[in-house]
Amino acid sequence: MTSITFAVALIIVTIILPGGIFRRGFLSSEFSNYHLRASNFSEIVFTLGVGMFSQTIGILILKYVIRKYYVDFGILGQILAAPDRKGFEKIGLYATEIFIYNLLLCVACFIAGRGLMFLIITRNWDLRWRALRFDNHWNYIFSGKEFVERKEQEIIKYTNICVSSDDTFIVYTGFLTNYWLDNDGKLEIIELRTVKRKIIERNCISEFEDGLDEPIAENMTKSKGKSTKKPKHTEYKFAIHKLLIPYSQVQNISITYYELEEAPKDEDGYVKETDTQEINS
Amino acid sequence: MSNTFERILSFFFIFSDYGFPIFGKQSKEILEDVNSSRQLLEAIDKDKHGQPSLPIRHKNKSYRLVRAGENSLVS
């Protein structure tokens, strides 16, 4: 094995691997559409930077905290310059310790990446500072995270999705429960539950009605002096568990975010209807 | 102990319980219950028409629906 090959292998194992594992931990949630893009210079620099930083911390901990072991740069330099049997034999004596050191370093990098992501997302630092915002913007839209004020809040997304067909518009209404991205990070599929379907005939829609929200008003005929046909739409409930809609067919999406607040209880353990009306008025 | 172990597993492998999921645990329970799901749809319908909504009852708890915001996307 030439010294260049060994040097490359050494750089991959000691620097790139910890940095890559940190990135995997940091960008592994639904907030990221991370895929390895080797041609992206900034990502390579990020990986190398984290790898070098983690190795430096590891070497300092070995030297000043553990003290029983240290990294012998002399042997490393000797092997890189002119690999010989003696150098490898010296490394072989401590193969187990070297393996454990690198394994612990990789695990620490993964935990650090995960922990940093956990902190940013749970403390909403990504909403406060744009530099910490993750690149999967669809998750910010579909989760309703920007409307959350407390950690334990849950947001329900009631969604209308308008899909165009040949002569009609079809509006699917239901609760948004999941979505999928393709390999390029673009939205591919949207999942709805408890779905209703409304079919709106295309030639019955006025100029300023996009057929998105229901119901289409009875007074739609008051347009700009034009007489329009009375619009027709028929609604069906879907007796299915989930509906998957390809985004390529979607014309419009309208999402209403609702929060479910636990209502104060009365003596019987339930909120009276009159109390609810006072709260909502 | 099992809760701690679950939290550790979630930290390493399944983050969505501790992040901000698209479909939360509470929402899932309500939608999977036929009565609660029907009450939720009625509450949303009343909210859309500007009427006061009724509480949603699920597992000895009462919830009220509060509109948090709206988003529209045009493709």
Side-chain angles (χ1 to χ4, degrees):
Chain A
M1 181 190 282
T2 64
S3 60
I4 294 171
T5 310
F6 185 75
V8 168
L10 194 66
I11 287 169
I12 289 171
V13 169
T14 58
I15 294 176
I16 293 178
L17 188 61
I21 289 175
F22 175 91
R23 273 186 67 82
R24 193 69 187 92
F26 182 63
L27 297 171
S28 56
S29 78
E30 62 274 11
F31 281 86
S32 172
N33 57 357
Y34 167 72
H35 296 281
L36 182 62
R37 294 187 290 265
S39 61
N40 191 319
F41 178 72
S42 62
E43 291 192 13
I44 293 170
V45 168
F46 183 86
T47 302
L48 285 174
V50 169
M52 287 173 66
F53 178 76
S54 60
Q55 277 294 348
T56 306
I57 300 293
I59 290 166
L60 290 173
I61 289 173
L62 269 183
K63 188 174 178 183
Y64 295 111
V65 177
I66 296 173
R67 294 189 187 181
K68 190 178 171 187
Y69 299 100
Y70 66 96
V71 176
D72 189 344
F73 289 100
I75 294 180
L76 267 178
Q78 186 186 339
I79 287 171
L80 285 172
D84 65 345
R85 192 186 173 84
K86 274 190 182 175
F88 284 111
E89 277 176 0
K90 282 183 187 174
I91 287 176
L93 291 172
Y94 295 95
T96 308
E97 287 85 347
I98 291 169
F99 172 75
I100 291 171
Y101 164 75
N102 280 294
L103 179 65
L104 287 175
L105 190 69
C106 290
V107 170
C109 281
F110 183 79
I111 292 173
R114 268 305 224 191
L116 185 61
M117 178 194 67
F118 185 83
L119 266 177
I120 289 172
I121 289 174
T122 52
R123 288 173 190 255
N124 290 334
W125 289 347
D126 53 342
L127 296 178
R128 206 185 295 178
W129 294 296
R130 194 166 178 79
L132 294 179
R133 202 166 167 105
F134 291 91
D135 53 2
N136 184 8
H137 54 275
W138 287 111
N139 209 74
Y140 288 100
I141 294 169
F142 289 150
S143 64
K145 191 171 188 254
E146 56 185 311
F147 302 111
V148 171
E149 289 168 0
R150 296 183 312 277
K151 195 179 161 184
E152 57 276 5
Q153 260 179 310
E154 256 187 49
I155 301 283
I156 286 186
K157 279 72 67 176
Y158 194 63
T159 311
N160 289 307
I161 297 180
C162 180
V163 172
S164 175
S165 183
D166 290 329
D167 297 324
T168 59
F169 286 106
I170 304 173
V171 178
Y172 295 101
T173 305
F175 295 99
L176 179 70
T177 52
N178 207 349
Y179 68 97
W180 283 268
L181 304 177
D182 62 13
N183 287 338
D184 296 323
K186 292 178 186 168
L187 187 60
E188 193 176 23
I189 297 173
I190 301 170
E191 178 188 290
L192 298 181
R193 293 197 191 188
T194 317
V195 184
K196 289 187 288 190
R197 184 177 73 166
K198 191 185 308 172
I199 299 171
I200 303 167
E201 292 181 19
R202 193 184 282 265
N203 56 6
C204 291
I205 293 173
S206 76
E207 292 178 5
F208 41 76
E209 177 61 66
D210 62 349
L212 182 62
D213 267 330
E214 48 77 57
I216 297 176
E218 290 284 322
N219 59 356
M220 249 189 63
T221 50
K222 57 164 187 177
S223 56
K224 301 174 183 176
K226 290 182 189 176
S227 60
T228 56
K229 286 185 193 176
K230 194 168 183 181
K232 298 178 194 176
H233 65 264
T234 39
E235 196 171 271
Y236 307 92
K237 274 187 187 172
F238 264 179
I240 52 171
H241 187 52
K242 296 179 197 177
L243 180 68
L244 303 175
I245 302 172
Y247 184 64
S248 56
Q249 297 179 17
V250 171
Q251 298 287 311
N252 287 305
I253 301 175
S254 169
I255 306 172
T256 309
Y257 303 91
Y258 290 102
E259 184 199 331
L260 284 174
E261 273 188 3
E262 203 167 325
K265 294 177 187 173
D266 60 7
E267 290 173 356
D268 300 326
Y270 291 105
V271 175
K272 290 180 185 173
E273 288 186 15
T274 50
D275 289 342
T276 309
Q277 286 174 9
E278 282 172 6
I279 291 166
N280 286 321
S281 63
Chain B
M1 179 63 92
S2 64
N3 197 23
T4 311
F5 184 63
E6 200 182 294
R7 280 174 175 261
I8 292 169
L9 278 181
S10 292
F11 176 80
F12 279 103
F13 301 112
I14 317 159
F15 184 77
S16 54
D17 282 352
Y18 293 93
F20 199 75
I22 301 293
F23 191 35
K25 198 174 168 185
Q26 190 186 74
S27 311
K28 193 177 177 185
E29 283 176 6
I30 288 174
L31 284 182
E32 284 177 353
D33 181 66
V34 174
N35 285 329
S36 306
S37 172
R38 181 182 49 80
Q39 288 174 32
L40 177 62
L41 287 169
E42 283 172 7
I44 289 172
D45 194 51
K46 283 189 180 291
D47 174 78
K48 276 186 169 289
H49 290 93
Q51 296 166 9
S53 64
L54 298 172
I56 298 154
R57 291 176 186 142
H58 178 72
K59 281 188 181 177
N60 296 326
K61 285 186 183 177
S62 277
Y63 300 94
R64 63 175 190 195
L65 205 66
V66 177
R67 184 189 281 225
E70 278 187 61
N71 257 335
S72 282
L73 291 89
V74 179
S75 62

